[in-house]
Amino acid sequence: MRETLRRLLRQRKAAVGGTLLLGFLLVALVGPWFVMDPTELMGQPHQPPSSAHWFGTTGQGQDVLAQTVVGARETLAIGFAVGALVTLVGALVGITAGYLGRRVDDALTLTTNIFLVIPGLPLAIVLGAYLPSGPFRMVVVLTFAGWAWNARVFRAEALALRGRDFVAAAVVAGESHARIITRELLPNMASLVASSFIGNTLYAVGAQVGLEFLGLGDVGAVTWGTNLYWAGNDAALLTRSWWIFVPTGICIALVGFSLTLLSSAIDELTNPSLRAPPKAPKAAVMRAVATPAQEAAAPGALLSVRDLCIEYMTQAGPSRVVDQVSLDIAPGEVFGLAGESGSGKSTLGYALLRLLPSSAAITQGSIVFDGTDVTALSPEALRAFRWSRVSMVFQSAMSALNPVLTLGEQFHDTLAAHGGASRASSYARGRELLAMVGLKPELVNAWPHQLSGGMRQRVGIALALALEPRLVVMDEPTTALDVVVQKELLQRVLELKERLGFAVLFITHDLPLLLALSDRVGILQAGKLVEVDTAQRLRTDARHPYTRLLLSSFPHLGATDTQAPTPDVLEQAASALKPPLAALPGGRR
Amino acid sequence: MRYVLRRLGFYLLAAWASLTMNFVIPRLAPGDPATAMFARFEGRISPEALVALKTAFGFTDAPWHVQYFTYLKHLLTGDFGLSYAYYPSPVTEVIGTGLLWTLGLAGCAVIISFAVGTMLGVLAAWNRGGWLDSALAPALAFLGAFPYFWLAMLALYLFGFGLGWFPLRHAYSHDVEPGATLTFIADVGRHAVLPAASIVVATLGGWMLSMRNTMVAVLGTDTLRLAHAKGLPPRQVMLRYAARNALLPNVTGFGMALGFVLSGSLLTEIVFSYPGTGYLLILAVRNQDYPLMQGLFLVITLAVLAANFAVDLLCLWLDPRTRAHA
């Protein structure tokens, strides 16, 4: 909690917003003692700012400065009171609904949704018109008209927390509902409570000013809203007396802006992706180092990666995720890349297509694909290079497909981007590709959500083959699938590979699978390629201790175990492949 | 179809809830303001008309549930009673023209603001950290912190009273004959510029920020990574992949913010003496014209519910996933 507060203060938005708001609170608290009586007629009406009246006088001759300063007090008091009350009511309704669930939830959610769609101002007016005037009326009316949004937010949060283990544990332990809500749920909603309170105060100030402007406040009181009400009534515009309404409006905006800044600071704290990303590390050194390394590219290799370094910019400075990796892939070869999560294997795969996030950059080394230096491609050349030469199957192809386009459209935009195919020819090719991966061609008109996970992954593969690339990067393409589907899919990939002759960079943490599937396997540990060898040799005599550790961590696959535990089909498929060009120079070690 | 019917059912329920609130609030209020209201009609209208008015509101000596059904029956036949401020015009007649002006003004302003704000949000997210993102967005957020009606006052002061570029009040000049003539339409347009512009300026930042934030989230998804990997032209990735997918949650948010924006634009009408429902609302408040006030509440609420239903249909059209369950 203290750490959260400290981080909040370090943020510029929070600092500016907080200072502004504190300034206004101070003015509201002590300011009224230093100014004239805001209701007394102090001078001539409609007088512009002067030394006697710094902000001029109103249409009746009151001091505008005094009205602005004194108005802050009741406006902010009501604003914060309503803000707190709305948060309380919203939290109470929302948490009750989310926590108790079932019928209670249904009823409360329905009520909440109804209040959400009923416009607040007319509702507040009808209610306000029937209640006796005064600050109490304002608080009741604004709370009644504004609680629903909060209830909705708190319900969602309560629902999410209820599913978490620590709450489930408390339920099993037989703790009372009240205790679970106050001890388990509320402390975990601290930041939501804070940002809701700020958002509600913002709403309250705005709505209050609006209602008072309408004349629904206590027109005898001095608040910002009534100031504007009187400005309108006393013909401030007609007499060109801008000073009557401008100061109040700016005060309202500054309070509103400070609240917006604070709530946005809290949002960014809980959701860091909203902030501008840190700048990627500079790649200034790249060329100098890359040139000599390029000469070492193996003749006949389809892909030659040399001394590749990739760094991420983090809050703690640059962090090297891929460290001096060199590898070659021959045409038609299946190269397996293994490593645990965080070893940099996916980053390496993305780098081949220069698909790194903006916070990451290639700081050193070269990627040469079939004579093309990928790291040196211009944006337009890179666009043309992607997919037509190297394509990719994502682990999450099921979520990677665009949910709002039919499969046909997604085939079409891909084909059209690389040489202006007509829609009809794209759809025809789409059907052909779908059939190739074992799907019904009619699915070309389907939307992604109509397919199962395995089917979507097949679509991902079909899409990857659309332009007949020479290398397909497969990043954990089967991890999210069940074993049977996985087996069928990989078999299909190997068949297609045989037929079409593309090379595969297969990335996974599943070493036994890799050994069964690949011609050669590279082991990545903490960004370094520690061992590269043929699958056959790795299985029997891995040299690097890390490789041996990885191998032994799979129960059926000791370093001496020659029998791979993978499904028979795979075994057959793998052994059916001729080991091509296993003699290519491998990694550094 | 099931989805559409379910949404329709919900809005009917919400409409019923607001009808009922309209019935309950005057009866629960302390000090019996309803009786006071009818007392104000005393002497202005004939005793028979007063009885008819009371009946329309269900204020009879009958038990409350009988009152309630009488009230519902009158509403269903379009009888909202008589306006006090515009006596003897029926409330429906007074509201009818006002509603047209409001829908025209607020409708255009909101749609323009949403379209432009969304586009700006797309560009800000796409060029994150660029000048749109780091300069325009905060500037618009600051403008959005002003009350709509205050921006309207300022705009009127500067461009109406100061520079004299635009008319000061009303929806059209009194010397122009209303009709489907070019002169009249141009005149209405000239009158609408300032009020519409102040609503647009006040709301633009909100739409921009929400679109920017949803789009930033979409930009981090695998859908976008795949789009880039496929070598699609950047414009296509931005519009067809990122913006298109970010639009869905934003349109839903649009529906939810509609009531709020409408409330703000009602206050804007007052500044310009624009003859819409907002202007009627303040007349009703100042004259304690309860029939008109309640009629306005109902009509505005029903309009917002209808707009929300339209937004739901729009989402249905935008999102194949909801369409499948519909």
Side-chain angles (χ1 to χ4, degrees):
Chain A
M1 196 57 216
R2 183 174 295 169
E3 178 54 27
T4 317
L5 216 60
R6 194 175 306 140
R7 268 192 297 164
L8 198 62
L9 284 177
R10 224 180 292 143
Q11 242 182 300
R12 206 176 49 193
K13 277 186 184 173
V16 174
T19 314
L20 254 176
L21 194 61
L22 278 179
F24 272 103
L25 282 176
L26 199 69
V27 167
L29 274 179
V30 303
W33 292 319
F34 294 93
V35 293
M36 304 175 200
D37 184 336
T39 50
E40 202 80 8
L41 306 182
M42 288 295 184
Q44 294 292 311
H46 295 304
Q47 288 307 301
S50 64
S51 57
H53 301 283
W54 291 354
F55 284 14
T57 61
T58 68
Q60 298 174 29
Q62 297 132 327
D63 186 59
V64 175
L65 175 65
Q67 289 208 329
T68 312
V69 169
V70 175
R73 189 178 272 185
E74 193 174 320
T75 306
L76 291 183
I78 292 182
F80 281 115
V82 173
L85 210 56
V86 167
T87 312
L88 186 73
V89 174
L92 218 60
V93 174
I95 294 177
T96 310
Y99 178 74
L100 292 180
R102 302 179 196 217
R103 293 260 170 82
V104 180
D105 185 23
D106 290 344
L108 287 179
T109 304
L110 187 64
T111 316
T112 307
N113 286 343
I114 286 176
F115 268 86
L116 265 179
V117 289
I118 295 178
L121 183 81
L123 179 62
I125 288 173
V126 167
L127 188 60
Y130 285 106
L131 290 178
S133 146
F136 177 70
R137 165 169 85 171
M138 193 56 84
V139 172
V140 170
V141 162
L142 292 183
T143 309
F144 185 71
W147 61 274
W149 176 256
N150 259 270
R152 187 189 171 95
V153 177
F154 275 98
R155 173 181 174 267
E157 185 78 1
L159 269 182
L161 281 176
R162 210 174 76 117
R164 300 265 290 276
D165 290 344
F166 63 92
V167 179
V171 173
V172 172
E175 289 185 32
S176 70
H177 291 325
R179 199 183 153 82
I180 293 175
I181 289 179
T182 51
R183 291 290 172 83
E184 311 286 347
L185 292 183
L186 279 176
N188 283 291
M189 293 184 173
S191 78
L192 182 64
V193 171
S195 70
S196 297
F197 172 63
I198 291 171
N200 293 333
T201 307
L202 185 65
Y203 147 79
V205 171
Q208 175 197 355
V209 167
L211 282 181
E212 285 168 348
F213 175 68
L214 267 174
L216 264 180
D218 176 1
V219 292
V222 178
T223 67
W224 287 344
T226 43
N227 288 354
L228 293 175
Y229 168 78
W230 285 113
N233 271 16
D234 294 340
L237 296 181
L238 205 64
T239 55
R240 313 282 166 93
S241 316
W242 55 266
W243 55 87
I244 301 180
F245 69 92
V246 167
T248 298
I250 290 179
C251 286
I252 296 168
L254 284 176
V255 166
F257 191 57
S258 68
L259 290 168
T260 312
L261 280 179
L262 279 177
S263 90
S264 138
I266 293 179
D267 280 353
E268 286 181 2
L269 207 65
T270 42
N271 183 7
S273 75
L274 291 176
R275 306 182 66 170
K279 287 267 186 307
K282 284 215 170 63
V285 281
M286 190 171 86
R287 290 286 139 239
V289 183
T291 320
Q294 265 178 36
E295 291 158 10
L302 181 66
L303 173 79
S304 286
V305 176
R306 285 292 171 275
D307 290 325
L308 191 70
C309 293
I310 298 168
E311 288 180 14
Y312 272 86
M313 185 47 86
T314 65
Q315 305 239 296
S319 152
R320 190 168 277 200
V321 179
V322 172
D323 194 0
Q324 299 226 312
V325 166
S326 299
L327 59 87
D328 294 284
I329 297 178
E333 183 184 25
V334 178
F335 188 96
L337 195 58
E340 51 200 13
S341 22
S343 60
K345 54 189 194 303
S346 291
T347 303
L348 183 58
Y350 289 133
L352 299 185
L353 280 152
R354 287 208 4 223
L355 277 175
L356 296 171
S358 57
S359 56
I362 297 170
T363 50
Q364 207 186 80
S366 68
I367 301 167
V368 177
F369 182 88
D370 202 12
T372 311
D373 183 358
V374 179
T375 57
L377 287 175
S378 70
E380 184 50 34
L382 177 66
R383 192 188 71 66
F385 170 82
R386 284 175 176 169
W387 223 252
S388 66
R389 314 284 294 278
V390 181
S391 70
M392 195 157 181
V393 179
F394 292 75
Q395 169 178 1
S396 49
M398 30 202 83
S399 60
L401 293 172
N402 190 343
V404 297
L405 297 179
T406 60
L407 301 186
E409 283 303 307
Q410 301 188 51
F411 280 111
H412 174 60
D413 61 25
T414 312
L415 293 165
H418 294 276
S422 73
R423 189 164 255 110
S425 70
S426 294
Y427 272 69
R429 174 89 175 118
R431 282 193 196 89
E432 195 180 303
L433 286 160
L434 287 174
M436 213 157 80
V437 295
L439 290 173
K440 289 199 196 99
E442 304 90 84
L443 286 179
V444 78
N445 292 315
W447 268 284
H449 71 265
Q450 296 172 315
L451 310 181
S452 70
M455 286 160 92
R456 271 181 267 177
Q457 199 60 279
R458 279 169 197 260
V459 174
I461 293 168
L463 208 51
L465 301 178
L467 297 165
E468 303 190 342
R470 297 191 63 198
L471 174 66
V472 181
V473 178
M474 298 196 172
D475 183 17
E476 307 257 11
T478 57
T479 309
L481 302 175
D482 66 67
V483 182
V484 180
V485 179
Q486 185 177 13
K487 208 161 78 177
E488 286 171 5
L489 200 70
L490 288 176
Q491 194 180 7
R492 179 72 70 166
V493 168
L494 291 177
E495 282 169 18
L496 285 170
K497 186 201 99 74
E498 277 301 271
R499 230 172 79 196
L500 303 171
F502 53 85
V504 177
L505 174 63
F506 200 100
I507 301 171
T508 179
H509 62 272
D510 189 346
L511 192 53
L513 176 75
L514 265 193
L515 291 177
L517 194 75
S518 316
D519 303 315
R520 286 188 310 138
V521 173
I523 309 285
L524 207 59
Q525 183 197 14
K528 286 188 193 297
L529 198 59
V530 292
E531 184 161 11
V532 177
D533 215 329
T534 61
Q536 191 57 42
R537 269 211 295 277
L538 267 189
R539 200 180 297 161
T540 49
D541 53 14
R543 282 158 299 166
H544 197 275
Y546 182 68
T547 316
R548 284 204 290 272
L549 182 71
L550 271 187
L551 284 168
S552 65
S553 64
F554 290 93
H556 304 293
L557 197 74
T560 50
D561 190 352
T562 49
Q563 206 60 39
T566 39
D568 299 349
V569 195
L570 271 184
E571 188 61 26
Q572 287 160 15
S575 56
L577 297 171
K578 294 166 200 86
L581 299 169
L584 272 178
R588 287 245 126 172
R589 309 273 286 251
Chain B
M1 207 52 215
R2 230 183 59 219
Y3 171 82
V4 175
L5 287 179
R6 228 179 45 226
R7 293 311 293 167
L8 196 62
F10 167 73
Y11 291 119
L12 287 177
L13 199 64
W16 169 78
S18 44
L19 291 182
T20 305
M21 265 194 272
N22 214 0
F23 175 82
V24 171
I25 288 172
R27 283 168 178 76
L28 287 184
D32 202 3
T35 311
M37 169 188 87
F38 291 119
R40 282 158 49 80
F41 275 102
E42 218 83 60
R44 282 191 68 177
I45 60 176
S46 68
E48 297 83 56
L50 188 61
V51 170
L53 189 62
K54 281 188 177 179
T55 318
F57 271 75
F59 277 104
T60 53
D61 295 329
W64 69 266
H65 63 272
V66 178
Q67 292 186 18
Y68 183 59
F69 284 110
T70 318
Y71 160 82
L72 282 186
K73 206 179 84 195
H74 279 272
L75 283 189
L76 287 178
T77 51
D79 183 2
F80 285 43
L82 299 180
S83 162
Y84 176 80
Y86 287 91
Y87 184 79
S89 298
V91 166
T92 34
E93 199 181 295
V94 178
I95 295 177
T97 43
L99 189 65
L100 274 182
W101 286 116
T102 295
L103 289 181
L105 178 70
C108 289
V110 163
I111 289 170
I112 291 174
S113 171
F114 181 72
V116 175
T118 301
M119 233 15 250
L120 288 174
V122 167
L123 292 174
W126 190 250
N127 305 307
R128 200 129 65 102
W131 70 270
L132 263 183
D133 195 22
S134 49
L136 187 66
L140 284 178
F142 183 65
L143 279 179
F146 287 95
Y148 298 13
F149 65 87
W150 188 88
L151 285 178
M153 283 170 104
L154 191 70
L156 183 57
Y157 186 88
L158 293 176
F159 303 105
F161 284 99
L163 296 166
W165 290 353
F166 295 100
L168 305 178
R169 58 184 72 86
H170 303 319
Y172 56 91
S173 313
H174 57 85
D175 53 356
V176 176
E177 190 66 34
T181 61
L182 219 58
T183 339
F184 179 68
I185 292 168
D187 190 54
V188 167
R190 252 164 38 84
H191 280 79
V193 169
L194 279 187
S198 48
I199 299 171
V200 169
V201 166
T203 49
L204 201 57
W207 304 132
M208 177 175 175
L209 191 72
S210 79
M211 184 63 180
R212 181 232 179 231
N213 286 354
T214 29
M215 178 127 159
V216 163
V218 171
L219 286 177
T221 60
D222 280 315
T223 305
L224 261 285
R225 200 180 272 227
L226 177 61
H228 282 294
K230 292 201 299 186
L232 301 184
R235 267 175 64 94
Q236 200 175 8
V237 178
M238 179 176 87
L239 295 176
R240 211 161 175 230
Y241 280 73
R244 179 72 170 75
N245 278 292
L247 194 60
L248 277 169
N250 230 35
V251 168
T252 315
F254 174 74
M256 279 191 273
L258 222 49
F260 191 74
V261 173
L262 186 73
S263 300
S265 65
L266 294 183
L267 295 173
T268 304
E269 287 179 6
I270 293 161
V271 174
F272 290 93
S273 307
Y274 204 83
T277 45
Y279 186 63
L280 292 176
L281 209 48
I282 195 170
L283 268 177
V285 169
R286 291 192 176 164
N287 294 304
Q288 287 176 296
D289 186 347
Y290 293 109
L292 182 56
M293 207 185 300
Q294 298 211 331
L296 281 168
F297 166 68
L298 279 185
V299 167
I300 294 171
T301 303
L302 292 181
V304 168
L305 294 182
N308 265 289
F309 186 55
V311 168
D312 281 347
L313 293 181
L314 182 66
C315 281
L316 202 61
W317 178 69
L318 278 174
D319 189 358
R321 285 161 295 187
T322 339
R323 216 163 5 184
H325 298 296

